[in-house]
């Protein structure tokens, strides 16, 4: 049996990610997710870490399910080869081989746990990594070989054998059948001397989170915002400070199953703080989806339906918006349409609304749809569309003057109702022989249609809406396969068609090739991965102080 290609990147990550990280109550039952000697990885991690990640193949049922998924996805070796080649390229001079030297140390079934907290200086994070080992002596041999080659140095710190990389940003030691890694000598020694009573394992907030996880997991990750005393970037312009102060934790769990992967995303508020602030998640109304019975399925790549945007944004105001996003949105809406965002737009955004992405008939550009149940305030909805029409017609007049053969303005019928349609024919755009546009672009037509259809505002660039008697998302074979995969959650709806997304990814790849741009191995691997799935579904469930979001990634037949 060979190490799962799902596992190999995590195994390599457990060894290498830590290497470059500084530069690039009752106790829950973990079941099989401890080391062979019965050591609990979390017992060696400080209890005040604000981020926790765990990947595990220790549970037999989950391990078998992962192997099954890998087999069904096909080409199981590509990602593994990439990982092995990376390791071998870096350490070939030391005479090490990924398959022969590193893999036996960790074994087929291992667990990796990672924790992080902000540095006291406020610059970056301190990290703590623990990985279970199948053969601790084999890993020592690997480190000894790296030390002899000059990549690492073996040191004795307080009588403990520690391996340090050249940059002194990676400190590793073997304790029993665990590999402990951190970014400084004091932290790796602190892991060895960690008092269990002050460890992550016994921390009350972590035990509460583990109760929700259970034992049937492959991966979980938790963020505990109250433990971040300094602000830390979380990606893009978002950081810990943007998370409302009433949030106690956020988490995600993945579980391997026979037909795919299930996942659960949870947000838990501090009930006492929430009550003091007068905040409850269920103030914003939620409902079972119903607009998906009216949206076409053909060419669908992604579908998102939710409910009560008006109340949701009002709740966001109460939770706090440090980024100023909502105020900026209100100001832009006022400047562009001369309307009040809350009174004249959100007044008819208090029921179900949809964002959807479709493939169009020809060319590369996808079709985007906004579909809103505006029946609670049809007058304001009509007024908004009238003002939108004025803005768009003014813009199209400018375009028609500059590109008279490319822009057209007409009316079309959708389900017997007259809609405004603005079209931009890209084949009529002037282009030079020196810089010809790729056919994937010039074959496209940009079209925008908007109007009101039976109490629904429809704004779309997807041509599929013009077809008669289309099959809806609710009637589709994909939804029929997915609908029973999410239990206990029935609010809102997300549906992704992996086949359509793979087709779109292929079109993007063809465009890059026409432009003479390189296509990365990662992009090819992602395209192959999409082809292994039929689609995905997700729905939510909201309580007063907690919200969950459950989903399923379904393998292709």
């Amino acid at each position: 049996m060979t190490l799962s290609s799902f596992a190999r990147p995590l195994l390599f990550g457990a060894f290498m990610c830590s290497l470059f990280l500084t530069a690039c109550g009752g106790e829950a039952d973990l079941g099989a997710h401890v080391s062979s000697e019965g050591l609990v990885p979390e017992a060696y991690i400080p209890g005040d870490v604000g981020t926790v990640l765990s990947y595990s193949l220790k549970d037999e049922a989950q391990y078998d399910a992962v192997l099954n998924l890998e087999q069904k996805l096909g080409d199981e070796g590509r990602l593994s080869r990439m990982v092995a080649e990376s390791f071998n390229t870096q350490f070939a001079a030391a005479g090490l081989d990924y398959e022969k030297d590193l893999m036996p140390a960790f074994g087929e079934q291992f667990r990796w746990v990672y924790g992080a907290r902000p540095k006291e200086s406020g610059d970056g994070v301190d990290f703590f990594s623990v990985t279970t080992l199948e053969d601790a002596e084999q890993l020592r041999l690997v480190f000894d070989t790296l030390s002899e080659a000059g990549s690492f140095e073996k040191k004795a710190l307080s009588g403990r054998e520690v391996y340090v990389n050249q940059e002194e940003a990676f400190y590793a030691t073997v304790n029993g059948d665990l590999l402990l890694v951190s970014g400084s000598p004091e932290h790796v020694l602190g892991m060895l001397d960690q008092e269990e009573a002050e460890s992550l394992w016994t921390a009350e907030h972590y035990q509460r989170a583990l109760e929700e996880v259970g034992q049937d997991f492959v991966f979980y990750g938790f963020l505990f915002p109250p433990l971040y005393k300094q602000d830390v970037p979380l990606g893009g312009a978002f950081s810990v400070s943007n998370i409302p102060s009433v949030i106690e934790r956020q988490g995600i769990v993945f579980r391997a199953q026979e037909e795919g992967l299930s996942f659960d995303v949870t947000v838990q508020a501090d009930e006492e703080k929430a009550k003091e602030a007068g905040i409850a998640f269920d103030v914003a109304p939620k409902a079972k989806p119903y607009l998906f019975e009216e949206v076409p399925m053909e060419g669908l790549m992604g579908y998102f339906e939710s409910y009560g945007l008006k109340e949701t944004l009002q709740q966001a105001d109460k939770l706090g918006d440090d980024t100023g996003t909502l105020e900026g949105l209100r100001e832009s809406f006022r400047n562009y349409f001369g309307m009040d965002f809350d009174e004249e737009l959100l007044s008819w955004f208090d029921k179900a609304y949809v964002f959807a992405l479709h493939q169009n008939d020809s060319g590369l550009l996808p079709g985007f749809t906004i579909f809103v149940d505006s029946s609670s305030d049809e007058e304001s909805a009509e007024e908004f569309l009238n003002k939108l029409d004025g803005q768009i017609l003014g813009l199209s007049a400018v375009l028609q003057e500059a590109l008279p053969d490319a822009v057209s303005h007409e009316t079309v019928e959708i389900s017997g109702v007259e809609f405004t349609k603005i079209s931009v024919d890209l084949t009529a755009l002037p282009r030079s022989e020196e810089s010809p546009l790729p056919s994937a672009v010039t074959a496209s037509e940009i079209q925008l249609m908007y109007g009101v259809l039976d109490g629904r505002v429809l704004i779309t660039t997807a041509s599929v809406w013009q077809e008669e008697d289309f099959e809806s998302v609710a009637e589709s074979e994909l939804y029929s396969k997915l609908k029973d995969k999410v239990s206990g959650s029935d609010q809102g709806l997300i549906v992704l068609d992996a086949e359509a997304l793979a087709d779109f990814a292929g079109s993007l790849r063809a465009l890059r090739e026409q432009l003479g741009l390189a296509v990365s191995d990662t992009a090819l691997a992602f395209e192959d991965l999409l082809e292994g799935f039929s689609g995905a579904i997700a729905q939510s469930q909201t309580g007063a102080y907690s919200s969950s979001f459950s989903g399923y990634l379904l393998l292709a037949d």
Side-chain angles (χ1 to χ4, degrees), residues 4-17 54-57 83 98 106 110 112 131 218-219:
S4 160
S5 65
F6 280 0
R8 292 172 185 249
L10 268 295
L11 171 57
F12 187 62
F15 183 74
M16 296 301 299
C17 180
S54 171
Y55 178 84
S56 180
L57 292 174
V83 171
Y98 180 80
F106 291 92
F110 66 95
W112 170 67
T131 310
V218 171
F219 172 86

Side-chain angles (χ1 to χ4, degrees), residues 455-521:
R456 317 296 198 227
V457 167
L458 172 61
I459 303 171
T460 185
T461 64
S463 57
V464 67
W465 282 95
Q466 298 177 75
E467 297 182 7
E468 296 182 4
D469 300 324
F470 55 68
E471 177 187 63
S472 71
V473 175
E475 297 167 327
S476 69
E477 181 182 358
L478 177 62
Y479 177 72
S480 178
K481 292 178 179 179
L482 291 168
K483 64 181 180 180
D484 295 327
K485 297 298 183 183
V486 180
S487 60
S489 299
D490 61 0
Q491 299 170 349
L493 178 65
I494 292 177
V495 174
L496 301 177
D497 188 321
E499 182 179 352
L501 288 168
D503 287 344
F504 182 64
S507 298
L508 289 177
R509 172 172 45 80
L511 175 61
R512 291 187 64 86
E513 290 171 350
Q514 285 192 37
L515 292 171
L517 301 174
V519 179
S520 68
D521 288 341

Side-chain angles (χ1 to χ4, degrees), residues 319-373:
L319 285 169
D321 179 26
D322 293 340
T323 64
T325 302
L326 291 177
E327 278 309 311
L329 185 60
R330 291 183 175 104
E331 185 64 25
S332 297
F333 192 79
R334 188 180 304 112
N335 293 338
Y336 193 76
F337 294 107
M339 300 174 68
D340 183 272
F341 180 80
D342 296 274
E343 297 297 327
E344 298 176 88
L345 178 70
L346 292 186
S347 63
W348 50 275
F349 252 98
D350 60 342
K351 293 187 176 181
Y353 60 94
V354 167
F355 300 112
L357 199 63
H358 289 81
Q359 293 176 295
N360 270 323
D361 291 336
S362 62
L364 177 67
L365 301 177
F368 183 74
T369 293
I370 299 174
F371 191 56
V372 185
D373 181 351

Side-chain angles (χ1 to χ4, degrees), residues 264-276:
D264 295 284
V265 179
T266 57
V267 178
Q268 178 67 50
D270 183 304
E271 185 172 339
E272 185 176 338
K273 289 182 179 179
K275 286 180 178 178
E276 289 177 359

Side-chain angles (χ1 to χ4, degrees), residues 275-294:
K275 286 180 178 178
E276 289 177 359
I279 292 170
F281 292 163
D282 56 2
V283 168
K286 302 293 180 184
K288 293 182 178 181
Y290 59 90
L291 289 182
F292 74 130
E293 299 174 352
E294 305 170 31

